[in-house]
Amino acid sequence: MKKVLLTGGAGFIAHHVIRHFLKNTDWEIVSLDRLDYSGNLNRIADMMNEFDFKDQKRVRIVYHDLRAEVNQMLSADLGQFDYILHLAASSHVDRSIDNPMEFVQDNVVATCNILNFARFQKNLERFIYFSTDEVFGPAPLGVNYKERDRYNSTNPYSATKAGGEELAVAFENSYHMPIYITHTMNVFGERQHPEKYIPMTIRNVRDDKLVTIHSDETRTTPGSRHYIHASDVADGCLFLLNNPNKVQELPNDFGGAKCPKFNLVGPVEWNNLELAQKIARAQNKELKYRLVDFHSSRPGHDLRYALDGDLMQNIGWKPKVSPDERINQVVSWTLDNVRWLNL
Ligand SMILES: NC(=O)c1ccc[n+]([C@@H]2O[C@H](COP(=O)([O-])OP(=O)(O)OC[C@H]3O[C@@H](n4cnc5c(N)ncnc54)[C@H](O)[C@@H]3O)[C@@H](O)[C@H]2O)c1
């Protein structure tokens, strides 16, 4: 039986990864998290209600703040892993603008600490570093960034994620570790932090409040993103872990650069207004909204991000459920589980 370590397991995406792995593998899962404002053990507890006692016993929770090294005692307690997925991070852009050093600690120093732990694993088959579309910066209309395009951070969050990414590349080069990097963007799903756009819009529509839509300076073009459900991100990761042969067959046309990178991206691009309209329709409600100039309200944010998902498609993976179906599923689930909308 394989053993997998998920850092940031009490976070939004990682708890969906735990769920997906419980459903689709017989692996033992360890979650390592420091439980900050965005980490919530109740996520795991709530999600685990779906599973019987035998499956619940496959998950172990460990407390650790990765700003500190994984010392000998913790390392002995954690043991050996086949896979390590590093999702723990500080990820709120506005907070990174207020306090960049906190993000260096959580996203660069913490990444070095978990890579150092991984370095001394005896039979590690794969380490996956979770990066973001934001490392590429704003995407002009018509441009969807590929895995090896240039980076252009527009806020400290993106820069620290890019820093963590380069450490992962360096560890593969220096210590020949089996590392992949994923770039994902605008992940949504059940139990997402209520400060995020989709849960916030579900709440505002439910309460007949005005929804604020970020747009360009003329307040005519709303910002846009590719959205992907967290279960689909988990499914893409599982595909990568289960199919190393497909990755090995890929031509290396990046001037010899190591450390394969994969964009895990939703199939369609929606603008913020379209998405809010979908959320309102799913509730049979009218959308009340106003467009606001995002530049003046949210410095460091970009109007459009976009990734190209062709590489994953070429090796045989794409999300199995349509984004429209996923939105309806999340709206309906959230309205039945309103404790997850409380701030
Ligand atoms: N949510 C998105 O749309 C999105 C998009 C692209 C990339 N990502 C990346 O995916 C990963 C997960 O994102 P998320 O939205 O689930 O984040 P999240 O904020 O919900 O979860 C992050 C978790 O990491 C933990 N954590 C933070 N710093 C830590 C530290 N120093 N030591 C131990 N634990 C720590 C937190 O307690 C939390 O449980 C992050 O690496 C993020 O950069 C997310």
Side-chain angles (χ1 to χ4, degrees):
M1 188 189 300
K2 304 267 188 197
K3 203 170 150 196
V4 55
L5 174 65
L6 293 177
T7 70
F12 161 60
I13 299 178
H15 97 283
H16 277 279
V17 178
I18 297 176
R19 177 176 179 267
H20 197 76
F21 287 4
L22 282 176
K23 276 179 172 251
N24 296 287
T25 74
D26 62 355
W27 301 349
E28 282 181 15
I29 301 161
V30 177
S31 158
L32 181 151
D33 202 300
R34 70 150 180 228
L35 302 178
D36 64 19
Y37 86 99
S38 68
N40 186 345
L41 276 186
N42 295 319
R43 276 201 182 105
I44 299 182
D46 194 40
M47 174 275 287
M48 297 251 277
N49 286 329
E50 281 181 50
F51 295 93
D52 61 22
F53 185 62
K54 196 166 141 263
D55 282 332
Q56 290 177 3
K57 293 276 286 178
R58 286 160 54 202
V59 181
R60 185 178 160 218
I61 308 290
V62 173
Y63 173 86
H64 179 66
D65 188 331
L66 279 169
R67 288 176 299 181
E69 66 169 349
V70 179
N71 64 21
Q72 218 178 347
M73 198 172 150
L74 179 60
S75 176
D77 183 34
L78 287 169
Q80 297 294 320
F81 293 94
D82 301 281
Y83 305 122
I84 298 176
L85 274 56
H86 178 43
L87 290 94
S90 275
S91 64
H92 197 285
V93 171
D94 295 343
R95 289 173 194 255
S96 81
I97 290 165
D98 290 344
N99 196 343
M101 187 50 84
E102 206 177 277
F103 279 64
V104 173
Q105 293 290 335
D106 284 336
N107 299 351
V108 183
V109 173
T111 298
C112 195
N113 281 327
I114 193 67
L115 281 165
N116 251 335
F117 168 72
R119 179 150 81 95
F120 297 106
Q121 291 281 303
K122 292 199 176 68
N123 298 306
L124 187 69
E125 284 179 40
R126 191 68 56 207
F127 181 105
I128 298 186
Y129 174 81
F130 267 67
S131 191
T132 167
D133 58 308
E134 297 199 28
V135 294
F136 299 108
L141 272 180
V143 174
N144 293 354
Y145 290 115
K146 288 186 180 293
E147 284 77 358
R148 301 282 173 173
D149 281 342
R150 94 289 177 273
Y151 288 6
N152 178 30
S153 298
T154 49
N155 56 61
Y157 164 64
S158 323
T160 56
K161 290 300 290 184
E165 225 186 289
E166 269 304 289
L167 270 175
V169 175
F171 269 64
E172 161 137 2
N173 278 306
S174 303
Y175 310 113
H176 310 292
M177 288 168 59
I179 303 182
Y180 291 166
I181 287 163
T182 62
H183 298 127
T184 185
M185 65 181 296
N186 289 84
V187 185
F188 69 96
E190 295 76 3
R191 303 179 200 85
Q192 188 166 25
H193 196 287
E195 74 188 357
K196 299 287 180 173
Y197 182 64
I198 290 181
M200 197 167 63
T201 304
I202 295 174
R203 191 176 58 235
N204 284 338
V205 169
R206 180 198 65 180
D207 299 344
D208 296 314
K209 289 195 177 146
L210 203 63
V211 173
T212 299
I213 311 273
H214 290 139
S215 67
D216 65 345
E217 283 163 33
T218 63
R219 296 194 187 123
T220 50
T221 309
S224 64
R225 310 275 188 264
H226 289 76
Y227 286 88
I228 184 166
H229 191 280
S231 295
D232 295 318
V233 172
D235 190 57
C237 284
L238 189 56
F239 176 88
L240 288 172
L241 295 177
N242 285 338
N243 293 283
N245 53 330
K246 301 205 178 196
V247 178
Q248 255 160 17
E249 285 160 15
L250 283 171
N252 184 338
D253 50 2
F254 309 116
K258 293 247 181 86
C259 210
K261 302 188 181 193
F262 301 93
N263 291 344
L264 289 176
V265 55
V268 288
E269 181 170 353
W270 289 330
N271 73 43
N272 301 334
L273 178 56
E274 270 177 297
L275 176 56
Q277 281 162 339
K278 286 175 193 293
I279 291 170
R281 264 201 304 278
Q283 301 189 47
N284 285 322
K285 290 265 208 171
E286 184 199 341
L287 177 71
K288 297 174 188 155
Y289 70 93
R290 77 187 161 113
L291 297 178
V292 296
D293 161 20
F294 82 102
H295 270 300
S296 38
S297 61
R298 299 190 86 185
H301 287 256
D302 298 309
L303 194 61
R304 178 175 184 268
Y305 291 115
L307 293 179
D308 180 309
D310 282 357
L311 182 59
M312 282 300 285
Q313 283 210 37
N314 291 343
I315 60 170
W317 181 85
K318 62 179 179 185
K320 295 185 183 80
V321 182
S322 80
D324 277 293
E325 209 175 322
R326 288 295 200 191
I327 283 291
N328 290 338
Q329 162 198 326
V330 170
V331 171
S332 157
W333 184 92
T334 307
L335 294 176
D336 287 342
N337 295 274
V338 288
R339 74 184 264 220
W340 295 101
L341 280 183
N342 296 333
L343 253 183

